[in-house]
Amino acid sequence: MLRRLALTAVVSLAALATAVPASTASGPVSSGPVPSAVPTTGPFAAARPSLGPLPLPVPPLPGFLDGGEGKATGEADEVLTRLTVSVENTGVAGADGTFELECGPTGGSHPQGQAACDRLAEAGATRAGRQELFRPTPEGTMCTMIHGGDASARIVGTWEGRAVDTTASRRDGCEIARWNSLVPVLPDVR
């Protein structure tokens, strides 16, 4: 809602900035009477506004209006996602270790870099995904007592410009579901 309101205000200012100077730049040049919204009689006749161009150009859209990129036009592209993923005790060959993951463009030593970046982008496309992806299971949550193995992981870095420092394990049903929501950032150990 706020995004739509702000975008409407910016577009209105831009339209006003381009329309007003064109209609007042040359002054009243006409061959006959032209209807006007400016009062010619009455108490408001003396209060004629001095129309002209806006004093400042319209600024670039803020991050929440430009699709969430957080970059103004003309800025250099910058990697907004850079994570270090440390995994141990998975029991899967090649899954244990410390891997670097960069998205936008994809890079680093992560074995499934593009798939992991795609999963992060998918989660980042929804508000719930942005809020829940790296959030730990809340204290006091009722979880099934299913042991999913001794695998554990730590993810540290930035995701879409936000700091991340979280751990994951497979000690109960909630943590297993959380781990699975992070696949392929974390290895699939099912």
Side-chain angles (χ1 to χ4, degrees):
M1 183 69 180
L2 178 61
R3 178 179 177 175
R4 180 176 283 169
L5 180 64
L7 186 58
T8 302
V10 169
V11 170
S12 298
L13 284 174
L16 183 61
T18 58
V20 170
S23 66
T24 61
S26 62
V29 177
S30 66
S31 59
V34 177
S36 173
V38 178
T40 56
T41 61
F44 297 111
R48 293 184 68 139
S50 61
L51 298 177
L54 292 175
L56 297 173
V58 177
L61 293 175
F64 66 90
L65 293 176
D66 67 359
E69 294 296 318
K71 296 180 273 188
T73 50
E75 288 185 18
D77 287 341
E78 184 179 316
V79 176
L80 295 176
T81 298
R82 182 175 285 130
L83 298 173
T84 301
V85 181
S86 301
V87 183
E88 53 189 31
N89 301 324
T90 61
V92 176
D96 291 355
T98 299
F99 308 102
E100 300 294 324
L101 176 64
E102 292 182 2
C103 301
T106 303
S109 61
H110 195 284
Q112 295 182 332
Q114 186 59 52
C117 288
D118 291 346
R119 172 65 186 114
L120 292 172
E122 176 188 335
T126 66
R127 182 176 182 181
R130 286 190 303 273
Q131 293 175 345
E132 299 295 328
L133 187 63
F134 292 110
R135 182 177 291 170
T137 304
E139 195 68 34
T141 302
M142 302 272 298
C143 301
T144 58
M145 297 306 295
I146 299 172
H147 183 68
D150 294 326
S152 64
R154 181 167 185 202
I155 303 171
V156 179
T158 57
W159 174 55
E160 294 186 347
R162 295 181 204 96
V164 172
D165 187 355
T166 190
T167 58
S169 69
R170 299 182 60 82
R171 70 174 179 253
D172 59 33
C174 295
E175 286 296 306
I176 292 170
R178 188 164 168 259
W179 182 290
N180 290 343
S181 75
L182 287 165
V183 171
V185 177
L186 297 178
D188 190 356
V189 295
R190 292 181 239 187

